[in-house]
Amino acid sequence: MWGIIATWRMAKEGIDKSVPILEKGGTAADAVEEAIKYVEDFPFYKSVGYGGLPNEEMEVELDAAFMDGASLSIGAVAAIKDFANPISIARSLSKYTVNNMLVGAGAEKYARKQGFERKNMLTDRAKIHYRNRVKETQEMDISPYSGHDTVGMVSVDSSGHLVAGTSTSGLFMKKAGRVGDSPIIGSGLYADSSIGAASATGLGEDLMKGVVSYEVVRLMGTGMSPQEACEKVTFDLDKKLIERRGIAGDISIVAINTDGDWGAAANIDTFSFSVATATQKNTVYTTKRVGNKMVHEEASQEWLEDYLTERMKPLEEK
Ligand code: ASP
């Protein structure tokens, strides 16, 4: 049995690329890297890779991580600039026993030495988003932070090997050097080939408070299904944050176990995810909380197309 699940509809085309790898008995590591690279390269997804939204200084700083659930090897980069595929750099760092997480200039130096593709990741479209946001923020006297998403992906291959990966440009208008949960092992992602793997998206500052991906894997280890574990961790953290802080940021989690059973939960109504397994073609779902359960609904062709049209429509300077 193989399977792959990722946060957001934006992962769909990447997963299309990975399905043949998994079908042919390829590794979850290759499947996750290939799919995430596709999302990083697609210029119209404004929260991952090329075309990602910049920080408050109009620089695109990217975070990514990779975890191998068999050896528990980890690799991560944070606040890295000017490299095309942070996920590949993160995966390459997972080969070492030390120096697994590199940030900023150190990460760039490593990537340069290893010959990873350099690229200016700031697109004209992202510059328009930036200038519009600066204007809006000044005119309306509001917080500048709006917009963030991560491609968080987990996969089990036909050898039962589990892998997790993430990639994001993080919080739009963040301070230079701000790092979210996505490259943080345990928060943004976790994989253990004896149990399962999980990955998160949402407000990094809040996701880290619940170490959510590790917690989902831990609960699956006690016998919970991926769906039950995602729901418990999402709803409990949402409740705790509201009780303690009066407000909870966005929390969305996906997970898969060694049998290829998958789950997803969110405390927002706009979450979507993409999933394919040996017995299920690549499918995008939207999901909503109803009581203490998530209800997943298969996205229609029209919804899938509208999502892309919306992201690719001409952008006007305000
Ligand atoms: N978790 C990411 C961050 O805070 C953003 C997201 O997934 O929406 O950087």
Side-chain angles (χ1 to χ4, degrees):
M1 177 50 120
W2 57 263
I4 185 163
I5 180 167
T7 56
W8 305 110
R9 182 257 177 267
M10 68 173 153
K12 181 184 182 300
E13 286 77 12
I15 291 184
D16 281 337
K17 302 259 171 245
S18 290
V19 164
I21 299 176
L22 293 163
E23 272 173 348
K24 284 184 206 132
T27 66
D30 288 344
V32 165
E33 182 182 358
E34 241 0 81
I36 293 183
K37 268 171 76 175
Y38 183 90
V39 186
E40 288 177 337
D41 290 341
F42 190 70
F44 294 97
Y45 292 142
K46 58 184 168 61
S47 56
V48 176
Y50 184 62
L53 289 172
N55 65 15
E56 67 174 6
E57 292 171 25
M58 211 169 81
E59 302 162 328
V60 181
E61 287 189 334
L62 302 169
D63 298 337
F66 178 91
M67 182 166 186
D68 180 314
S71 58
L72 304 180
S73 297
I74 53 171
V77 287
I80 189 170
K81 283 188 283 207
D82 299 329
F83 280 90
N85 296 113
I87 186 63
S88 301
I89 306 169
R91 182 181 177 186
S92 101
L93 284 166
S94 73
K95 291 184 299 206
Y96 308 107
T97 46
V98 291
N99 300 310
N100 296 128
M101 181 170 186
L102 300 180
V103 306
E108 288 151 21
K109 193 169 187 178
Y110 168 81
R112 209 166 37 244
K113 281 191 178 161
Q114 296 289 317
F116 284 100
E117 184 192 344
R118 297 200 64 178
K119 188 168 176 177
N120 176 3
M121 303 298 271
L122 182 65
T123 58
D124 289 342
R125 194 176 173 89
K127 286 183 196 165
I128 300 177
H129 278 298
Y130 176 87
R131 288 195 292 263
N132 285 351
R133 189 66 193 159
V134 169
K135 221 166 170 194
E136 254 169 41
T137 309
Q138 284 162 354
E139 281 170 8
M140 292 151 77
D141 195 21
I142 48 172
S143 151
Y145 308 118
S146 99
H148 52 80
D149 284 338
T150 298
V151 57
M153 190 173 292
V154 290
S155 174
V156 58
D157 62 31
S158 49
S159 319
H161 193 142
L162 277 131
V163 162
T166 56
S167 185
T168 186
S169 53
L171 188 61
F172 184 24
M173 290 291 181
K174 64 191 178 184
K175 296 253 174 269
R178 180 264 186 192
V179 176
D181 61 305
S182 309
I184 306 295
I185 306 302
S187 282
L189 72 168
Y190 198 80
D192 180 338
S193 290
S194 67
I195 305 171
S199 185
T201 177
L203 183 65
E205 283 74 1
D206 278 358
L207 290 164
M208 286 192 267
K209 295 179 176 86
V211 201
V212 294
S213 295
Y214 179 79
E215 190 57 9
V216 166
V217 174
R218 190 188 68 76
L219 290 175
M220 290 194 289
T222 68
M224 277 192 194
S225 69
Q227 185 57 39
E228 287 165 344
C230 286
E231 285 170 354
K232 177 156 177 56
V233 171
T234 303
F235 303 159
D236 285 0
L237 180 60
D238 179 68
K239 185 163 174 268
K240 194 188 243 185
L241 291 170
I242 291 169
E243 278 167 9
R244 306 265 189 103
R245 304 171 61 81
I247 187 166
D250 295 358
I251 303 168
S252 303
I253 312 176
V254 294
I256 200 161
N257 67 14
T258 46
D259 296 327
D261 298 329
W262 53 264
N267 70 345
I268 53 170
D269 281 350
T270 48
F271 184 54
S272 58
F273 60 93
S274 313
V275 58
T277 69
T279 56
Q280 179 180 14
K281 72 168 180 36
N282 190 1
T283 310
V284 174
Y285 292 90
T286 56
T287 185
K288 280 192 175 56
R289 180 177 180 172
V290 179
N292 264 343
K293 286 257 138 240
M294 297 302 301
V295 178
H296 308 320
E297 195 179 318
E298 189 173 332
S300 65
Q301 196 54 34
E302 192 188 354
W303 187 93
L304 295 176
E305 282 160 19
D306 284 355
Y307 180 100
L308 265 189
T309 310
E310 176 64 27
R311 270 145 195 88
M312 294 173 72
K313 74 176 184 212
L315 189 62
E316 312 238 314
E317 192 107 27
K318 284 187 184 153

